[in-house]
Amino acid sequence: MMKKNILVFSLALTALLLSGCKTNDDGDYISNNTFPTGRVLTNSAVSGDKFGDFTDNPFVSTASQPVSTFSVDADGASYAIVRKYLRNQYTILPSMVRIEEFLNYFTFNYPAPQDGQAVAINAEVGACPWNSGHYLLRLGIKGKELTDSEMPRANFVFLIDVSGSMQSNDKLPMLKTGLMNLVDLLNPDDRISIITYSGRVKKLIESTPVREADKIKTAIHQLRASGSTDGGEALKMAYEEALTNYDPTANNRIIMGTDGDFNVGVTNTDALVEMVETYAQKGIYMTCLGFGLGNLNDSMMERISNSGNGNYYYIDDEEELVKVFVTERGRFVSVANDAKCQVTFDSRTVSQYRLIGYENRVMESEDFDDDQKDAGEIGAGQTITALYEIVLADGYNKTDGNAPFVTFDFRYKQTLQDASISLQKTLSIYDIFYKTTLSDDFYFAAGVAAYGMLLRQSPYKGQATLEMARELVRIGHFYDPDGSRTGLLNLMGTPPRYNER
């Protein structure tokens, strides 16, 4: 209780600072508050990295658009990339900061699914730390855990970039270590194919049962980097290999490790997206693993993983390697497919709202009920978090505790071929004004979002400061099963560098 009271005092003090908060012409709250300016770096070591630019979601009038719809995003690459940039004191670009991936990098302490469901949903609302008078809505989703005996048989195709740009120790050598760790954890009846690509594409190993692990490991150990990068042709071969050995009861998945530097063959991202969409419809999943800096094509890997019923991780160090390949390997198994959220606000209570992050995942309202529309996948044991900043309407009835405030609808499929299953959670006025406690996860999520907005230099960061973000994370970091929340606190002590505008 003491830590909650400390935070209430801290947020009250923060509210006093909001007198300098201004609005733009649309009435949205903005601030000029930024990190202290650091030295400007040229980033010559990472000048080849590619990130897709995007604009922050704006505030939306509930009177004209009460419904917000988006696909889940289970990726965590953005956080790991920014972490590597910060550790190396490279300039942070707003385009590399995707706040939903910051949030979903971490595991939240959400209730497990019940009654045979593959997912469970939850929600809570509290005061917005960076804008006095605003509120913050947290939505939570958790995929069911799977024991080793419940894991479906794996039909994996390792698609390995062995081009010259993969030579450094944080690229191909690290990938090889991760793949060997994964082989050790698979079941004897699981199957692995290996396809490599550089100047030419080669099927190194036909589909082989993991009981022949020595054969698979020997092939991985002997990999060497050289040549150019014909990734497009390799991707096609990998999909065809997965289809040749397709098992409708198995986890049919391509695991691609690369820096994304496709410089010969099919190099156009739109063409690659079209290819992965075609094969995704045939039941083949995609996992993209990014490595290294200097040739990192983050934009391409994010897009093809999104379009290929997949996920995208960035491996920046050995701890991340263990996290992805060992402790969280259940995320390679999708327990909820085409998962999407629809949030409906009561215009009598809410005048404006803003979805924080998920800019690349926004959907049309009518897509929510359309089972043919592709959406995101959730891995076993994975948690998904989304935040809305909310402005209450003038004249709402605070005393009517049962009055609806927001309805959270969620749809998912247990398999890609199934009809979708619906879940719903409703919050009332009571949850805004009369609920006396908030979860540690609420404070942690708020701190992560504030930090992301500061790194993005977002016009919607209000009076957020690094000190505020750290305090929120500190209060919410006590649930820390893998140490990653403590790692974030340590990372937040590293001042970011950014280009002046």
Side-chain angles (χ1 to χ4, degrees):
M1 180 62 70
M2 181 177 291
K3 68 177 181 178
K4 305 292 186 186
N5 292 337
I6 290 172
L7 182 69
V8 169
F9 172 78
S10 175
L11 296 184
L13 182 61
T14 300
L16 295 177
L17 302 177
L18 292 175
S19 57
C21 186
K22 299 181 290 184
T23 60
N24 61 19
D25 292 339
D26 296 322
D28 301 333
Y29 285 78
I30 62 173
S31 170
N32 291 323
N33 182 47
T34 62
F35 287 111
T37 302
R39 63 188 175 92
V40 177
L41 303 182
T42 61
N43 274 3
S44 58
V46 291
S47 59
D49 294 345
K50 301 174 184 176
F51 302 94
D53 203 6
F54 60 92
T55 302
D56 295 47
N57 287 324
F59 276 95
V60 176
S61 168
T62 310
S64 60
Q65 190 175 325
V67 178
S68 172
T69 307
F70 63 96
S71 164
V72 303
D73 188 339
D75 300 340
S78 176
Y79 174 76
I81 292 169
V82 170
R83 179 171 62 192
K84 184 154 188 171
Y85 266 67
L86 285 169
R87 287 173 174 172
N88 287 279
Q89 294 189 308
Y90 295 143
T91 301
I92 300 299
L93 306 174
S95 56
M96 68 176 61
V97 182
R98 296 184 289 272
I99 293 176
E100 70 278 9
E101 293 186 24
F102 271 50
L103 289 165
N104 294 329
Y105 176 87
F106 300 94
T107 297
F108 284 71
N109 191 22
Y110 292 158
Q114 302 291 328
D115 302 323
Q117 292 285 358
V119 296
I121 63 174
N122 63 86
E124 63 180 332
V125 61
C128 178
W130 51 84
N131 269 329
S132 177
H134 288 199
Y135 290 85
L136 199 62
L137 170 66
R138 181 194 59 75
L139 306 178
I141 306 162
K142 180 176 175 63
K144 70 178 180 180
E145 305 272 359
L146 294 178
T147 64
D148 287 345
S149 62
E150 292 174 322
M151 290 281 190
R153 190 180 72 81
N155 168 31
F156 286 162
V157 180
F158 292 167
L159 179 58
I160 305 174
D161 183 350
V162 294
S163 63
S165 66
M166 290 287 288
Q167 283 183 342
S168 61
N169 288 334
D170 61 349
K171 293 187 180 183
L172 182 59
M174 190 175 289
L175 171 58
K176 288 164 61 176
T177 300
L179 293 177
M180 288 188 182
N181 287 339
L182 182 57
V183 171
D184 285 337
L185 295 168
L186 295 175
N187 295 317
D189 291 334
D190 293 334
R191 303 187 71 88
I192 291 174
S193 308
I194 300 178
I195 292 173
T196 63
Y197 62 98
S198 57
R200 66 190 183 98
V201 179
K202 181 179 180 181
K203 186 185 296 182
L204 196 63
I205 291 182
E206 301 272 357
S207 183
T208 301
V210 172
R211 66 173 58 91
E212 300 178 38
D214 288 345
K215 175 182 177 181
I216 297 169
K217 286 185 170 183
T218 297
I220 295 172
H221 178 71
Q222 292 175 347
L223 295 173
R224 299 292 182 271
S226 66
S228 53
T229 318
D230 191 358
E233 185 61 32
L235 194 56
K236 182 177 180 181
M237 180 183 285
Y239 273 119
E240 289 299 322
E241 176 72 6
L243 279 178
T244 298
N245 301 285
Y246 182 82
D247 178 350
T249 66
N251 178 16
N252 301 279
R253 182 176 297 268
I254 294 169
I255 300 177
M256 180 173 71
T258 180
D259 59 7
D261 184 24
F262 291 12
N263 50 35
V264 298
V266 180
T267 60
N268 181 274
T269 299
D270 289 339
L272 293 170
V273 166
E274 184 177 352
M275 181 193 303
V276 300
E277 285 178 340
T278 298
Y279 286 101
Q281 293 171 2
K282 299 178 181 180
I284 310 297
Y285 293 85
M286 158 70 72
T287 294
C288 288
L289 304 172
F291 291 83
L293 299 178
N295 295 287
L296 182 68
N297 194 338
D298 171 82
S299 176
M300 181 273 288
M301 285 189 279
E302 189 209 4
R303 285 192 61 194
I304 66 171
S305 63
N306 287 354
S307 302
N309 287 339
N311 39 35
Y312 169 35
Y313 306 104
Y314 178 78
I315 313 297
D316 62 324
D317 60 21
E318 291 186 1
E319 288 185 8
E320 188 68 13
L321 187 79
V322 173
K323 182 177 186 286
V324 170
F325 283 100
V326 180
T327 59
E328 294 183 356
R329 68 186 180 92
R331 296 188 181 189
F332 288 141
V333 179
S334 177
V335 297
N337 298 277
D338 288 338
K340 43 196 171 182
C341 304
Q342 188 163 84
V343 182
T344 305
F345 294 96
D346 189 321
S347 60
R348 295 168 297 179
T349 308
V350 178
S351 65
Q352 293 184 75
Y353 63 86
R354 187 178 90 82
L355 175 61
I356 300 174
Y358 291 90
E359 286 84 1
N360 297 334
R361 299 293 188 131
V362 173
M363 304 179 75
E364 298 295 331
S365 296
E366 57 268 24
D367 292 342
F368 183 72
D369 294 322
D370 186 351
D371 280 359
Q372 302 306 308
K373 290 292 183 180
D374 181 58
E377 276 63 45
I378 300 174
Q382 190 163 25
T383 60
I384 303 295
T385 301
L387 297 174
Y388 283 86
E389 184 175 345
I390 295 163
V391 182
L392 296 186
D394 293 334
Y396 60 85
N397 186 357
K398 181 177 179 179
T399 62
D400 187 2
N402 294 322
F405 148 56
V406 63
T407 301
F408 171 29
D409 288 293
F410 179 78
R411 279 186 180 273
Y412 74 97
K413 302 174 184 175
Q414 291 192 324
T415 73
L416 290 168
Q417 292 74 36
D418 289 342
S420 63
I421 298 170
S422 298
L423 300 174
Q424 187 177 87
K425 175 77 174 179
T426 300
L427 297 182
S428 67
I429 290 288
Y430 171 86
D431 295 291
I432 303 177
F433 296 108
Y434 302 106
K435 189 174 180 181
T436 57
T437 60
L438 292 166
S439 70
D440 288 348
D441 281 330
F442 179 91
Y443 298 123
F444 182 78
V448 172
Y451 186 48
M453 288 189 291
L454 288 165
L455 290 172
R456 275 192 57 75
Q457 302 177 65
S458 169
Y460 300 103
K461 62 185 174 294
Q463 291 298 301
T465 64
L466 180 57
E467 291 74 19
M468 176 196 292
R470 289 191 72 184
E471 175 66 6
L472 289 163
V473 168
R474 186 192 66 78
I475 290 172
H477 91 288
F478 294 98
Y479 174 77
D480 196 16
D482 60 359
S484 60
R485 295 191 181 194
T486 300
L488 171 60
L489 269 178
N490 295 334
L491 185 69
M492 293 171 85
T494 303
R497 311 291 187 179
Y498 61 92
N499 288 321
E500 294 194 50
R501 298 178 178 180

